[in-house]
């Protein structure tokens, strides 16, 4: 039996995983940021008795009318930078783990190993990139609706560092890591489970298939990990809070249902962004793989 396309004879080199993941992460973050902005606004503490709309388009339109277009992209730079690093690291580690455990004939990996690979990649991404950039992004969004003391991403980073040092930038680390580990496990695991299923059954891998698989992965991820996202957002507000303080504040404000606050808005983003992320990754990898294959052939290195 000859290996199908995507089997282990055509493993993605680590440098391609890193570069393609970084490019895809930056594109996805920039394209879907208004949804992320709306979701974060809803999860942060609001005034008692003042209803918060659940429709992301209503939140976006209200902010646009009252604060202008620039307000909708407050914190976007931090998220884009963080997403480039985060997704570069996530795809690098996930592909390395997937390649190590893939079936030598089919190139596929078991569902459990897909999930474990995603979980490992999520933890590494949280430590190296996600927590500090998410902290800055969330603080900027929170500050813009209250005190307005941050002039931008660099200024926010400087102030947070002066007030809390490295621990200030890593505020909400536990919640972020739990979210990243679970989200990456479900997102990348689900996507690759679907992709492996289609590979074995000779279903063509094209832009439409990649986008659909990424969107399904986004839905699964959101529904399974929303409580971690809410806790992370509360922990990383402008003044910050411990993980336990964040859990307590959500419970006191909204009860159990509060841990799924912003689900509709996050779904709007993850369905869209999941499709963009994986479609962009596959497209960039398809361009880079032949280039690095040629470079590898010309290098005078054995193996």
């Amino acid at each position: 039996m000859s290996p199908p396309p995507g089997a282990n004879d055509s493993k993605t080199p680590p440098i391609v995983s890193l570069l393609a993941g970084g490019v895809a992460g930056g594109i996805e973050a920039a394209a879907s940021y208004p949804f992320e902005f709306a979701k974060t606004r809803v999860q942060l503490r609001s005034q008692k008795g003042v209803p918060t709309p659940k429709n992301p388009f209503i939140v976006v339109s209200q902010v646009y009318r009252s604060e202008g277009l620039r307000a909708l992209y407050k914190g976007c730079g931090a998220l884009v930078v963080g997403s480039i690093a985060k997704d570069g690291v996530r795809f690098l580690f996930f592909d390395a783990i997937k390649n190590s455990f893939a079936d030598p004939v089919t190139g596929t990996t078991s569902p459990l190993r897909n999930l474990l690979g995603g979980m490992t990649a999520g933890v590494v991404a949280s430590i190296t990139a996600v927590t500090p950039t998410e902290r800055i992004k969330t603080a900027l969004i929170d500050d813009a609706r209250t005190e307005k003391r941050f002039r931008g991403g660099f200024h926010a980073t400087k102030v947070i560092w002066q007030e809390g040092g490295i621990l200030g930038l890593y505020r909400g680390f536990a919640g972020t890591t739990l979210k990243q580990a679970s989200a990456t496990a479900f997102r990348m695991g689900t996507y690759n489970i679907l992709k492996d299923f289609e590979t074995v059954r000779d279903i063509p891998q094209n832009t439409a298939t990649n986008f659909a698989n990424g969107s399904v992965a986004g839905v699964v991820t959101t529904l399974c990990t929303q409580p971690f996202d809410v806790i992370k957002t509360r922990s990383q507000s402008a003044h910050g809070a411990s993980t336990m303080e964040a859990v307590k504040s959500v419970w006191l404000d909204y009860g159990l249902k509060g841990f799924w606050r912003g689900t509709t808005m996050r779904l709007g983003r993850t369905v869209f962004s999941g499709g963009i992320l994986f479609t962009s990754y596959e497209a960039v990898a398809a361009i880079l793989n032949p280039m690095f294959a040629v470079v590898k052939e010309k290098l005078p290195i054995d193996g």
Side-chain angles (χ1 to χ4, degrees), residues 42-60:
V42 168
Q43 289 176 340
L44 290 164
R45 255 192 164 133
S46 56
Q47 294 178 339
K48 289 283 187 180
V50 178
T52 305
K54 294 182 179 180
N55 187 321
F57 295 101
I58 294 177
V59 175
V60 168

mmCIF file of all heavy atoms in Angstrom, residues 42-60:
data_model
loop_
_atom_site.group_PDB
_atom_site.id
_atom_site.type_symbol
_atom_site.label_atom_id
_atom_site.label_comp_id
_atom_site.label_asym_id
_atom_site.label_seq_id
_atom_site.Cartn_x
_atom_site.Cartn_y
_atom_site.Cartn_z
ATOM 1 N N VAL A 42 -17.582 42.153 26.702
ATOM 2 C CA VAL A 42 -18.708 41.524 27.392
ATOM 3 C C VAL A 42 -18.246 40.772 28.638
ATOM 4 O O VAL A 42 -18.943 40.741 29.657
ATOM 5 C CB VAL A 42 -19.450 40.565 26.434
ATOM 6 C CG1 VAL A 42 -20.425 39.674 27.197
ATOM 7 C CG2 VAL A 42 -20.214 41.355 25.392
ATOM 8 N N GLN A 43 -17.060 40.173 28.579
ATOM 9 C CA GLN A 43 -16.575 39.366 29.705
ATOM 10 C C GLN A 43 -16.049 40.214 30.854
ATOM 11 O O GLN A 43 -16.015 39.756 32.000
ATOM 12 C CB GLN A 43 -15.469 38.423 29.229
ATOM 13 C CG GLN A 43 -15.988 37.300 28.340
ATOM 14 C CD GLN A 43 -14.876 36.440 27.797
ATOM 15 O OE1 GLN A 43 -13.708 36.842 27.762
ATOM 16 N NE2 GLN A 43 -15.216 35.243 27.351
ATOM 17 N N LEU A 44 -15.617 41.445 30.568
ATOM 18 C CA LEU A 44 -15.145 42.334 31.622
ATOM 19 C C LEU A 44 -16.333 42.847 32.425
ATOM 20 O O LEU A 44 -17.460 42.871 31.958
ATOM 21 C CB LEU A 44 -14.368 43.506 31.012
ATOM 22 C CG LEU A 44 -13.004 43.122 30.410
ATOM 23 C CD1 LEU A 44 -12.500 44.226 29.498
ATOM 24 C CD2 LEU A 44 -11.990 42.822 31.511
ATOM 25 N N ARG A 45 -16.083 43.286 33.646
ATOM 26 C CA ARG A 45 -17.169 43.707 34.532
ATOM 27 C C ARG A 45 -17.902 44.914 33.953
ATOM 28 O O ARG A 45 -17.299 45.876 33.506
ATOM 29 C CB ARG A 45 -16.589 44.067 35.904
ATOM 30 C CG ARG A 45 -16.880 42.989 36.927
ATOM 31 C CD ARG A 45 -16.571 43.480 38.318
ATOM 32 N NE ARG A 45 -17.182 42.613 39.298
ATOM 33 C CZ ARG A 45 -16.555 42.148 40.365
ATOM 34 N NH1 ARG A 45 -15.300 42.425 40.565
ATOM 35 N NH2 ARG A 45 -17.191 41.398 41.235
ATOM 36 N N SER A 46 -19.212 44.852 33.976
ATOM 37 C CA SER A 46 -20.040 45.964 33.505
ATOM 38 C C SER A 46 -20.841 46.521 34.672
ATOM 39 O O SER A 46 -20.843 45.957 35.764
ATOM 40 C CB SER A 46 -20.987 45.492 32.396
ATOM 41 O OG SER A 46 -21.781 44.413 32.859
ATOM 42 N N GLN A 47 -21.511 47.641 34.439
ATOM 43 C CA GLN A 47 -22.281 48.268 35.507
ATOM 44 C C GLN A 47 -23.518 47.442 35.830
ATOM 45 O O GLN A 47 -24.153 46.867 34.961
ATOM 46 C CB GLN A 47 -22.720 49.684 35.077
ATOM 47 C CG GLN A 47 -21.553 50.650 34.906
ATOM 48 C CD GLN A 47 -22.034 52.009 34.439
ATOM 49 O OE1 GLN A 47 -23.116 52.150 33.877
ATOM 50 N NE2 GLN A 47 -21.235 53.033 34.703
ATOM 51 N N LYS A 48 -23.826 47.371 37.127
ATOM 52 C CA LYS A 48 -25.004 46.626 37.570
ATOM 53 C C LYS A 48 -26.271 47.209 36.945
ATOM 54 O O LYS A 48 -26.450 48.430 36.899
ATOM 55 C CB LYS A 48 -25.120 46.692 39.099
ATOM 56 C CG LYS A 48 -24.053 45.885 39.830
ATOM 57 C CD LYS A 48 -24.369 44.397 39.797
ATOM 58 C CE LYS A 48 -23.402 43.623 40.678
ATOM 59 N NZ LYS A 48 -23.681 42.178 40.659
ATOM 60 N N GLY A 49 -27.129 46.342 36.461
ATOM 61 C CA GLY A 49 -28.409 46.774 35.920
ATOM 62 C C GLY A 49 -28.353 47.280 34.507
ATOM 63 O O GLY A 49 -29.384 47.609 33.921
ATOM 64 N N VAL A 50 -27.156 47.363 33.938
ATOM 65 C CA VAL A 50 -27.020 47.823 32.558
ATOM 66 C C VAL A 50 -26.871 46.594 31.669
ATOM 67 O O VAL A 50 -25.850 45.897 31.733
ATOM 68 C CB VAL A 50 -25.801 48.752 32.381
ATOM 69 C CG1 VAL A 50 -25.662 49.176 30.919
ATOM 70 C CG2 VAL A 50 -25.922 49.964 33.278
ATOM 71 N N PRO A 51 -27.864 46.253 30.848
ATOM 72 C CA PRO A 51 -27.796 45.039 30.025
ATOM 73 C C PRO A 51 -26.698 45.134 28.979
ATOM 74 O O PRO A 51 -26.459 46.192 28.399
ATOM 75 C CB PRO A 51 -29.180 44.976 29.375
ATOM 76 C CG PRO A 51 -29.659 46.387 29.367
ATOM 77 C CD PRO A 51 -29.097 47.021 30.606
ATOM 78 N N THR A 52 -26.008 44.021 28.776
ATOM 79 C CA THR A 52 -24.962 43.953 27.763
ATOM 80 C C THR A 52 -25.453 43.110 26.605
ATOM 81 O O THR A 52 -25.847 41.963 26.805
ATOM 82 C CB THR A 52 -23.681 43.316 28.337
ATOM 83 O OG1 THR A 52 -23.277 44.043 29.495
ATOM 84 C CG2 THR A 52 -22.559 43.349 27.317
ATOM 85 N N PRO A 53 -25.480 43.648 25.390
ATOM 86 C CA PRO A 53 -25.982 42.870 24.254
ATOM 87 C C PRO A 53 -25.120 41.641 23.982
ATOM 88 O O PRO A 53 -23.908 41.664 24.201
ATOM 89 C CB PRO A 53 -25.906 43.869 23.086
ATOM 90 C CG PRO A 53 -25.013 44.958 23.532
ATOM 91 C CD PRO A 53 -25.052 44.999 25.010
ATOM 92 N N LYS A 54 -25.759 40.556 23.525
ATOM 93 C CA LYS A 54 -25.037 39.330 23.208
ATOM 94 C C LYS A 54 -24.651 39.254 21.736
ATOM 95 O O LYS A 54 -23.838 38.417 21.353
ATOM 96 C CB LYS A 54 -25.900 38.118 23.577
ATOM 97 C CG LYS A 54 -26.151 37.985 25.074
ATOM 98 C CD LYS A 54 -26.970 36.740 25.391
ATOM 99 C CE LYS A 54 -27.193 36.603 26.888
ATOM 100 N NZ LYS A 54 -27.981 35.388 27.225
ATOM 101 N N ASN A 55 -25.246 40.100 20.939
ATOM 102 C CA ASN A 55 -24.925 40.122 19.513
ATOM 103 C C ASN A 55 -23.637 40.924 19.294
ATOM 104 O O ASN A 55 -23.588 42.114 19.604
ATOM 105 C CB ASN A 55 -26.085 40.766 18.734
ATOM 106 C CG ASN A 55 -25.892 40.667 17.233
ATOM 107 O OD1 ASN A 55 -24.794 40.804 16.716
ATOM 108 N ND2 ASN A 55 -26.985 40.433 16.522
ATOM 109 N N PRO A 56 -22.580 40.288 18.762
ATOM 110 C CA PRO A 56 -21.305 41.001 18.598
ATOM 111 C C PRO A 56 -21.406 42.200 17.674
ATOM 112 O O PRO A 56 -20.700 43.196 17.865
ATOM 113 C CB PRO A 56 -20.368 39.930 18.022
ATOM 114 C CG PRO A 56 -21.267 38.905 17.428
ATOM 115 C CD PRO A 56 -22.496 38.907 18.282
ATOM 116 N N PHE A 57 -22.293 42.138 16.680
ATOM 117 C CA PHE A 57 -22.430 43.254 15.745
ATOM 118 C C PHE A 57 -23.023 44.486 16.437
ATOM 119 O O PHE A 57 -22.677 45.625 16.106
ATOM 120 C CB PHE A 57 -23.297 42.835 14.553
ATOM 121 C CG PHE A 57 -22.683 41.763 13.707
ATOM 122 C CD1 PHE A 57 -23.095 40.444 13.824
ATOM 123 C CD2 PHE A 57 -21.659 42.065 12.821
ATOM 124 C CE1 PHE A 57 -22.519 39.442 13.057
ATOM 125 C CE2 PHE A 57 -21.074 41.076 12.041
ATOM 126 C CZ PHE A 57 -21.504 39.765 12.168
ATOM 127 N N ILE A 58 -23.909 44.254 17.425
ATOM 128 C CA ILE A 58 -24.480 45.363 18.189
ATOM 129 C C ILE A 58 -23.406 46.010 19.051
ATOM 130 O O ILE A 58 -23.297 47.241 19.127
ATOM 131 C CB ILE A 58 -25.656 44.878 19.064
ATOM 132 C CG1 ILE A 58 -26.816 44.417 18.182
ATOM 133 C CG2 ILE A 58 -26.109 45.984 20.013
ATOM 134 C CD1 ILE A 58 -27.986 43.851 18.956
ATOM 135 N N VAL A 59 -22.575 45.178 19.718
ATOM 136 C CA VAL A 59 -21.489 45.711 20.549
ATOM 137 C C VAL A 59 -20.535 46.525 19.693
ATOM 138 O O VAL A 59 -20.143 47.645 20.051
ATOM 139 C CB VAL A 59 -20.728 44.568 21.251
ATOM 140 C CG1 VAL A 59 -19.528 45.117 22.011
ATOM 141 C CG2 VAL A 59 -21.642 43.818 22.208
ATOM 142 N N VAL A 60 -20.147 45.977 18.558
ATOM 143 C CA VAL A 60 -19.215 46.663 17.664
ATOM 144 C C VAL A 60 -19.805 47.985 17.181
ATOM 145 O O VAL A 60 -19.124 49.026 17.173
ATOM 146 C CB VAL A 60 -18.852 45.763 16.458
ATOM 147 C CG1 VAL A 60 -18.121 46.559 15.382
ATOM 148 C CG2 VAL A 60 -17.999 44.591 16.910
#
